[in-house]
Amino acid sequence: MIDSLHKLAKYRYECGNYSVSTSYLYFCMLVLPPNDKNYLSSLWGKFASEILVQNWDSALEDLNKLREYIDSSPNQFGGNSLQLLQQRTWLIHWSLFVFFNHAMGRELIIEMFLYRPHYLNAIQTMCPHILRYLATAVIINRGRRSALKDLVKVIQQESYTYRDPITEFLEHLYVNFDFDGARQKLHECQTVLFNDFFPYILFR
Ligand SMILES: *[C@@H]1O[C@H](CO)[C@@H](O)[C@H](O)[C@H]1NC(C)=O
């Protein structure tokens, strides 16, 4: 019956009724043991559905569950590091919806992307463009000055593979002490921020 409920949840998801799939998958998650073949896909499905109905508290809970599952060992990836990296990369991308909408998001994105080495590593090898979002969160989070220092180090390390006006702004300001350059980049940041889906959420 749980197999059928899982199938039905996917069907309702594909029809666009995400609130129904969140409740079906909620029941799947209650009874499925972590080693079940449908466990991970139920968790991903629930996470995606909670995002799509904009239920940010539940989405955050599912994000944490997914991360714990992916990071726990043994898990079903059984040491397949490429699959692990892919799962982490997907999680990093989907989590942006949560981090830019949840009230705690700009704090939590720093914890996960900057201070969890597996995730920082995934960003550096698979998706350095994510640095833009981490940088945005660090800049607007005034309580985290030490994070700024750590972030600038990463931006410097990655500057040969990735740069954009936001990372360049930080480089000018904190590495080169080039304030005219920083002012110029700040100007470009304005265009970037208003045309990028995630930071734009913060200015609505
Ligand atoms: C989703 O399905 C439920 C139960 O079948 C229904 O009551 C609800 O109206 C549906 N919502 C949408 C957006 O179609």
Side-chain angles (χ1 to χ4, degrees):
M1 282 174 76
I2 292 298
D3 267 5
S4 306
L5 189 60
H6 175 265
K7 269 198 200 120
L8 187 59
K10 182 145 191 291
Y11 172 74
R12 300 306 291 266
Y13 180 92
E14 282 162 0
C15 294
N17 195 323
Y18 307 114
S19 62
V20 166
S21 47
T22 60
S23 66
Y24 291 176
L25 291 169
Y26 170 79
F27 290 113
C28 288
M29 294 306 301
L30 277 185
V31 294
L32 287 180
N35 59 359
D36 190 277
K37 66 180 193 317
N38 288 330
Y39 185 88
L40 185 61
S41 85
S42 299
L43 199 42
W44 271 111
K46 178 137 185 314
F47 179 47
S49 305
E50 298 289 6
I51 288 174
L52 285 156
V53 295
Q54 306 193 25
N55 199 346
W56 303 120
D57 284 330
S58 308
L60 180 59
E61 263 175 47
D62 290 342
L63 165 60
N64 289 329
K65 274 191 210 156
L66 263 170
R67 197 184 56 220
E68 272 163 31
Y69 181 85
I70 293 168
D71 293 348
S72 71
S73 96
N75 53 34
Q76 71 173 50
F77 313 113
N80 183 335
S81 46
L82 192 62
Q83 258 186 38
L84 261 173
L85 191 59
Q86 187 180 49
Q87 289 280 322
R88 290 199 177 109
T89 306
W90 283 344
L91 194 60
I92 286 165
H93 284 84
W94 278 87
S95 70
L96 290 175
F97 290 100
V98 181
F99 290 145
F100 278 89
N101 281 289
H102 195 284
M104 289 292 295
R106 270 75 70 208
E107 191 72 38
L108 298 172
I109 189 177
I110 298 173
E111 291 308 323
M112 179 165 152
F113 289 4
L114 192 57
Y115 292 122
R116 285 183 187 266
H118 285 317
Y119 290 87
L120 181 57
N121 191 274
I123 291 171
Q124 289 180 302
T125 46
M126 303 290 279
C127 48
H129 53 268
I130 294 291
L131 288 176
R132 161 183 299 186
Y133 306 110
L134 179 57
T136 308
V138 169
I139 291 169
I140 62 178
N141 198 326
R142 292 175 197 206
R144 301 295 297 261
R145 288 300 103 174
S146 60
L148 191 56
K149 246 170 102 181
D150 297 327
L151 172 70
V152 167
K153 264 185 236 153
V154 177
I155 286 176
Q156 268 184 286
Q157 279 170 20
E158 292 310 305
S159 60
Y160 71 100
T161 49
Y162 181 78
R163 52 179 57 216
D164 69 22
I166 298 167
T167 65
E168 287 174 323
F169 168 67
L170 289 178
E171 262 191 313
H172 281 314
L173 208 53
Y174 292 101
V175 184
N176 311 329
F177 304 110
D178 170 3
F179 300 114
D180 284 331
R183 192 194 330 230
Q184 160 88 33
K185 288 297 163 190
L186 198 54
H187 227 72
E188 292 172 29
C189 284
Q190 197 167 13
T191 314
V192 170
L193 291 175
F194 278 95
N195 288 290
D196 187 306
F197 180 81
F198 291 108
Y200 188 74
I201 293 171
L202 304 174
F203 303 118
R204 277 184 317 203

